Each structure stands twice: as structure tokens, then as C-alpha cells.
């Protein structure tokens, strides 16, 4: 397997995975919209996208992270917004490998932390994150208001 930071040359396979990811979270199938979104993020450096290719060269998983800052720590952090493994490629260790890569990659860049959220129903992801040393937040409550 090989993990690379996505560029324009990886747009098609990453957009396909991103579209599947959105559908996993009950959003409508919109490959054109997913492609435009990922393309804009890559071209404008709004996010950092990584893609994992299996031994045959097929894109099997991706992650998308957004840079931000922790005001209280006064240090940069990365927000892991998206992580997805193609359903036909699950149970092969790809999510764990991608997460380990991200921890090491951003650790070398002196990021203070990697922050993420997942659905309360996504027990598999929760087990993975906790096995990698992530701790469920017991201090803060997250609020959202759709505008």
C-alpha cells in the first residue's frame, strides 16, 4: 500500500471516495458536486487530502483534514473532517494505516493535535480511534446552528 497527498492527478478516485463517504452519512449521490468540492479544496489549499492506494494501485481510502488553530494552546492543529475506506476494501487495516500515517506526518510538522468527530453510531470508527490513543471529549459540548 502507498499513501500520498492528493493532487489534481488524484481527483477522480478521491472524488469517488468522497461521494461514497457523503452517501454513508445519508447525503444524496452527487459525484459532480463532490468532484468540484475536492478540486476546489486541492487547488486552493483549503484542505489536505491523502489517498491510500492498495497493492494493485487502486484508491482504497482517503482522508481530508483542515488546518486551524487552538487559541488556548496558541498552536496549530489539524481537524480530521473525513476518513473513508471503500466498503469493498474494509477489514484490511487501511483505516488504521491511514490514521497512523496522519499521526506521524502531522507530528513531524509540530501540530499540537489531530481533532476529529464521528457519528455516535459509528462504533467501529470509535474503537479504531480509541485504540490509537484518541480520547473521547468529556469536557466540551459541541453545538451547531445551521445558517
Amino acid at each position: 500500500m502507498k499513501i500520498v497527498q492528493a493532487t489534481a492527478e488524484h481527483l477522480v478516485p478521491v472524488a469517488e471516495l468522497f461521494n461514497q463517504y457523503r452517501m454513508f452519512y445519508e447525503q444524496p449521490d452527487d459525484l459532480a458536486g463532490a468532484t468540484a468540492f475536492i478540486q476546489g479544496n486541492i487547488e486552493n489549499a483549503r484542505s489536505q487530502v491523502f489517498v491510500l492506494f492498495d497493492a494493485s494501485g487502486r484508491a482504497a481510502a482517503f482522508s481530508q483534514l483542515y488546518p486551524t488553530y487552538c487559541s488556548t494552546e496558541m498552536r496549530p492543529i489539524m481537524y480530521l473532517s473525513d476518513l473513508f475506506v471503500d466498503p469493498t476494501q474494509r477489514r484490511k487495516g487501511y483505516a488504521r494505516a491511514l490514521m497512523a500515517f496522519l499521526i506521524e506526518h502531522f507530528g513531524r510538522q509540530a501540530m499540537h493535535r489531530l481533532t476529529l468527530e464521528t457519528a455516535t453510531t459509528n462504533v467501529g470508527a470509535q474503537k479504531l480511534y480509541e485504540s490509537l490513543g484518541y480520547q473521547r471529549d468529556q469536557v466540551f459540548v459541541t453545538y451547531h446552528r445551521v445558517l
Side-chain angles (χ1 to χ4, degrees):
M1 97 182 75
K2 180 172 99 172
I3 300 171
V4 299
Q5 186 166 354
T7 64
E9 81 177 80
H10 306 108
L11 179 60
V12 170
V14 170
E16 289 171 353
L17 287 167
F18 180 63
N19 190 48
Q20 290 181 55
Y21 166 81
R22 292 183 68 255
M23 289 189 296
F24 176 81
Y25 281 108
E26 301 177 0
Q27 297 302 306
D29 183 356
D30 184 3
L31 183 56
T35 301
F37 184 79
I38 294 294
Q39 182 175 19
N41 280 358
I42 291 172
E43 287 178 355
N44 297 304
R46 287 189 298 245
S47 69
Q48 292 187 35
V49 179
F50 295 86
V51 59
L52 180 147
F53 293 96
D54 65 15
S56 70
R58 178 176 180 224
F62 91 101
S63 62
Q64 179 166 221
L65 301 97
Y66 294 90
T68 189
Y69 290 87
C70 176
S71 296
T72 56
E73 296 293 332
M74 298 181 294
R75 293 185 56 199
I77 66 173
M78 291 301 282
Y79 176 73
L80 175 61
S81 178
D82 315 317
L83 179 106
F84 184 76
V85 178
D86 181 317
T88 66
Q89 301 297 311
R90 292 190 178 153
R91 314 294 302 165
K92 296 180 179 180
Y94 294 151
R96 179 173 296 281
L98 189 50
M99 287 300 300
F101 172 87
L102 296 172
I103 290 166
E104 199 246 316
H105 177 77
F106 289 111
R108 283 193 321 262
Q109 293 185 17
M111 290 289 162
H112 178 61
R113 70 173 186 256
L114 289 177
T115 295
L116 60 86
E117 299 172 308
T118 193
T120 56
T121 57
N122 196 344
V123 176
Q126 292 170 36
K127 287 180 181 178
L128 170 66
Y129 301 140
E130 289 171 12
S131 77
L132 292 168
Y134 279 81
Q135 297 176 348
R136 184 183 298 252
D137 196 310
Q138 302 295 322
V139 178
F140 295 97
V141 177
T142 301
Y143 290 90
H144 301 282
R145 180 172 175 184
V146 177
L147 303 176

